[in-house]
Amino acid sequence: MLEEQPAQENNVFHQEIRNNLPRVLSLIDKDETSQSFGYADRYFWAWGLIDFPNATFQGLANGLARLWVNGLWPYHTPETIYLDRIHSLFIGAQKLTRQDGSLEEAFPNEGSYCVTALVAFDLLVAYDLLQEIVDQKRKDHWLNIIEPLVGYLIKADENHAFVSNHLATASAALFRWNLVSGGSPKAKEKGELLLQRILDNQSSEGWFIEYQGADPGYQSLCMNYLSDIHLNCVDLGLSDPLRKSVQFLCHFAHPDGSFGGYYGSRSTRFYYPGGLLYLSDSIPEASLLSEFMMKSIIEQKVVGLSCMDEPNLSPMFNSFVWAASIKAGYKSSSPLSEDVVLPCRSRNTFRSNFPHAGMVIDRGDDHYSIISYKMGGVIKHFVNDKLQILDAGALFQSNKGKFGSSQFYQPQQKLEEDRSKIVVRSQVAEMPKTLSTPFRFLVLRMLCITVFRFPAFREWTKRILVRRLITKPKLWPIYNSREITFGKNLHFVDKHQVPQGYKRCSVNAPFVSFHMASKGYWQMNDEFSKNDP
């Protein structure tokens, strides 16, 4: 690049990228005399505060490559310096790859299927985008680095939980490998297997499973990878599943500009824009949702790139860069039909029940309400464009100081409803909220260097942890009945009998009852939100 490129006017994604690119570039160790040359986890190579590097950061090569080839790179950088930086990320990934081809995020010898898939996918995107300007020797080197990652994706699997966005990442990586390698029957077969698994488990309501239910935030990330598969393999028939997914997601763009929330199976509020913007030309609802969320990103009303901490920075950065490149070449499309409108902007009143997801949407003349009855009756209620009620569920405390709540996913939860109200009856479960201690870390590290070297025991341990921390918490002998009356002046009443040794309590802000690393990111609306019982 010969001169610095100005930020594109009206390209909100590029503006966000320019704001965050300095911290992205600062993550990479560029010191060739260092053993950690090419690593991008500063907590490991710079601070020395952890004893292993998180491989997720190596995937930043994807977004950096896309910025360059689309003329969106904002600095006066010679091509050789730029390409050497990308190469260093490949070298870092190579040094982080275990003998079995796996990478890790959470602990040594983790064998993370998700992170291996993510880095393989991102390096393949970078390879594809840059192959015209990279010499053959370096291209061969890059493919040799990616190959063992793909090998791991072919022979291993993720079985501690059903997480659609993880499987979509792996499937997208395998399809891309099949294309760049000149044909890999095993990669293609495994990619098709994972994709079919996702589609077989897609609800008829349009959502993809995240642990147990629907989570709009992570579904927007899943759409990133499914859209990439659709882009490169148009013969797989993804148009209808993607359309259903978009139509479902549209219900969770809120009148105040926020997206998703505590009612989802993973309680996430972020929005990944790339895949949905890519689908805008073929799915009217995707265009509508993308335009609506662009305004939210500008006003910081949704969790986006600037809100991300480092462990989630790479996929969000790459999604924003994909969106920026689409927006840079975007041509105004035909006006949308007046029949295509976001549910929160609809002029019609309606009440929709998604029984598989366990969510009710109530749209009135002046209000928009979302009730998640399979999450114990979580409520999000807007009057006009303002959040009036955000209640995360009934909260209790034991005499041992532990908290319990009705807010956890109960797949068999039934709903009693009539025209004006619903009743949600749910059991209370203990919140698995414990912090790490030196002793617990010592035990974990002993396991990492011993029995976790055996995949069967490691995966069994992961399943146990997922059950304890997310899907099967300890149940308490308390049942809460929440009666919710719909309307502009929505109100609710909780009824329960509290046995000896427990008490009902309240908090001043919403809470998440289970372990989820992606919870709690800030958005502007938090400065005005309230928990109003």
Side-chain angles (χ1 to χ4, degrees):
M1 292 292 169
L2 297 179
E3 59 183 24
E4 184 172 339
Q5 299 294 314
Q8 291 201 343
E9 262 186 71
N10 303 321
N11 192 335
V12 59
F13 309 110
H14 194 237
Q15 294 167 20
E16 278 286 277
I17 291 160
R18 282 177 64 95
N19 291 339
N20 287 278
L21 190 55
R23 73 168 171 139
V24 167
L25 297 177
S26 294
L27 294 174
I28 306 167
D29 185 0
K30 301 177 292 296
D31 182 355
E32 294 188 41
T33 69
S34 172
Q35 293 182 10
S36 57
F37 170 68
Y39 291 0
D41 184 350
R42 287 190 64 90
Y43 284 109
F44 179 76
W45 71 260
W47 290 89
L49 297 179
I50 55 177
D51 57 349
F52 77 101
N54 181 346
T56 305
F57 300 104
Q58 309 307 126
L60 292 167
N62 173 346
L64 297 178
R66 202 181 290 274
L67 284 175
W68 186 270
V69 300
N70 285 284
L72 297 174
W73 188 258
Y75 307 131
H76 179 83
T77 307
E79 186 173 276
T80 53
I81 291 178
Y82 166 81
L83 289 176
D84 284 346
R85 178 185 283 122
I86 298 294
H87 184 63
S88 73
L89 288 167
F90 275 82
I91 295 300
Q94 182 180 35
K95 291 192 290 187
L96 292 174
T97 303
R98 296 286 183 176
Q99 270 193 332
D100 62 358
S102 71
L103 298 170
E104 51 226 17
E105 173 187 31
F107 53 82
N109 292 312
E110 179 189 4
S112 173
Y113 198 76
C114 168
V115 172
T116 307
L118 183 146
V119 175
F121 172 82
D122 289 334
L123 296 184
L124 281 163
V125 172
Y127 171 90
D128 183 50
L129 291 169
L130 298 174
Q131 60 179 318
E132 298 299 323
I133 59 173
V134 175
D135 63 71
Q136 190 61 46
K137 181 179 179 181
R138 181 166 280 187
K139 285 195 294 184
D140 291 342
H141 190 183
W142 287 2
L143 288 179
N144 288 335
I145 291 170
I146 299 169
E147 187 171 14
L149 307 179
V150 173
Y152 183 76
L153 298 180
I154 293 172
K155 67 185 177 185
D157 210 338
E158 182 174 82
N159 51 32
H160 63 271
F162 197 103
V163 188
S164 292
N165 83 84
H166 293 182
L167 301 182
T169 312
S171 182
L174 290 162
F175 280 118
R176 276 191 172 265
W177 177 258
N178 180 58
L179 292 173
V180 304
S181 66
S184 171
K186 288 184 178 180
K188 185 173 183 289
E189 181 182 357
K190 186 62 177 287
E192 290 173 345
L193 175 67
L194 295 177
L195 179 61
Q196 195 58 51
R197 194 182 300 173
I198 297 166
L199 298 179
D200 286 346
N201 286 278
Q202 182 183 19
S203 168
S204 59
E205 298 165 354
W207 52 273
F208 300 105
I209 296 178
E210 290 291 328
Y211 281 98
Q212 297 181 98
D215 185 81
Y218 267 112
Q219 188 165 331
S220 71
L221 175 59
C222 186
M223 292 293 284
N224 243 51
Y225 299 109
L226 294 179
S227 296
D228 186 83
I229 297 171
H230 186 53
L231 168 66
N232 292 296
C233 307
V234 293
D235 59 335
L236 291 176
L238 288 179
S239 296
D240 190 51
L242 292 174
R243 181 176 291 104
K244 287 181 179 179
S245 175
V246 173
Q247 290 170 343
F248 177 80
L249 285 178
C250 283
H251 290 83
F252 306 103
H254 306 140
D256 67 347
S258 58
F259 182 81
Y262 298 89
Y263 50 74
S265 64
R266 301 184 68 178
S267 294
T268 59
R269 305 189 297 174
F270 43 50
Y271 176 78
Y272 286 81
L276 287 158
L277 189 61
Y278 166 73
L279 294 171
S280 291
D281 284 341
S282 57
I283 303 176
E285 292 89 348
S287 177
L288 197 68
L289 180 59
S290 294
E291 288 294 330
F292 181 84
M293 296 310 300
M294 277 187 234
K295 186 173 185 292
S296 296
I297 291 168
I298 293 171
E299 297 175 353
Q300 296 184 306
K301 290 183 175 180
V302 67
V303 175
L305 182 58
S306 291
C307 305
M308 284 297 102
D309 56 0
E310 273 75 7
N312 270 336
L313 181 63
S314 178
M316 183 64 81
F317 175 75
N318 293 337
S319 183
F320 263 68
V321 176
W322 190 16
S325 65
I326 295 170
K327 187 68 176 173
Y330 187 74
K331 296 179 181 178
S332 297
S333 56
S334 302
L336 291 171
S337 166
E338 291 185 3
D339 295 332
V340 181
V341 62
L342 287 178
C344 72
R345 292 285 184 248
S346 174
R347 295 179 181 178
N348 300 321
T349 61
F350 64 87
R351 187 181 302 169
S352 297
N353 182 9
F354 295 99
H356 298 159
M359 296 180 189
V360 172
I361 314 292
D362 184 60
R363 171 63 176 167
D365 292 329
D366 302 305
H367 71 272
Y368 193 75
S369 308
I370 301 174
I371 315 296
S372 180
Y373 55 89
K374 287 190 177 180
M375 288 288 284
V378 174
I379 301 169
K380 203 160 193 176
H381 174 65
F382 300 86
V383 176
N384 296 318
D385 290 343
K386 294 184 179 180
L387 179 65
Q388 291 296 313
I389 298 176
L390 173 54
D391 190 275
L395 184 68
F396 301 84
Q397 190 173 25
S398 71
N399 56 11
K400 296 180 180 179
K402 294 184 179 294
F403 287 102
S405 171
S406 59
Q407 185 214 97
F408 76 99
Y409 192 81
Q410 302 178 59
Q412 304 306 317
Q413 184 68 268
K414 302 297 182 183
L415 180 68
E416 298 176 22
E417 62 178 324
D418 60 28
R419 291 183 180 181
S420 62
K421 66 183 180 182
I422 61 173
V423 178
V424 181
R425 291 186 173 89
S426 53
Q427 191 169 3
V428 171
E430 186 174 299
M431 298 184 185
K433 291 194 171 185
T434 56
L435 297 175
S436 297
T437 64
F439 176 73
R440 286 175 179 163
F441 256 103
L442 176 62
V443 172
L444 176 60
R445 289 302 180 264
M446 291 298 294
L447 292 172
C448 289
I449 62 176
T450 54
V451 294
F452 279 4
R453 294 179 180 275
F454 301 97
F457 186 84
R458 181 183 66 214
E459 296 306 312
W460 176 81
T461 305
K462 288 181 185 179
R463 289 194 293 273
I464 296 299
L465 289 173
V466 167
R467 286 173 60 88
R468 181 180 180 277
L469 297 176
I470 301 175
T471 61
K472 299 289 183 182
K474 179 182 178 182
L475 298 176
W476 282 5
I478 306 173
Y479 292 83
N480 186 66
S481 178
R482 171 165 286 193
E483 182 179 286
I484 304 166
T485 302
F486 289 111
K488 179 179 179 179
N489 298 314
L490 180 147
H491 58 277
F492 63 95
V493 177
D494 287 331
K495 296 178 181 180
H496 41 260
Q497 290 185 341
V498 183
Q500 187 175 0
Y502 301 90
K503 64 179 180 179
R504 174 72 191 265
C505 52
S506 61
V507 289
N508 295 321
F511 57 88
V512 176
S513 65
F514 49 92
H515 173 79
M516 188 54 57
S518 299
K519 67 184 179 183
Y521 290 118
W522 177 88
Q523 59 188 24
M524 183 63 72
N525 317 55
D526 291 343
E527 303 306 306
F528 311 104
S529 299
K530 61 181 179 179
N531 183 32
D532 183 0

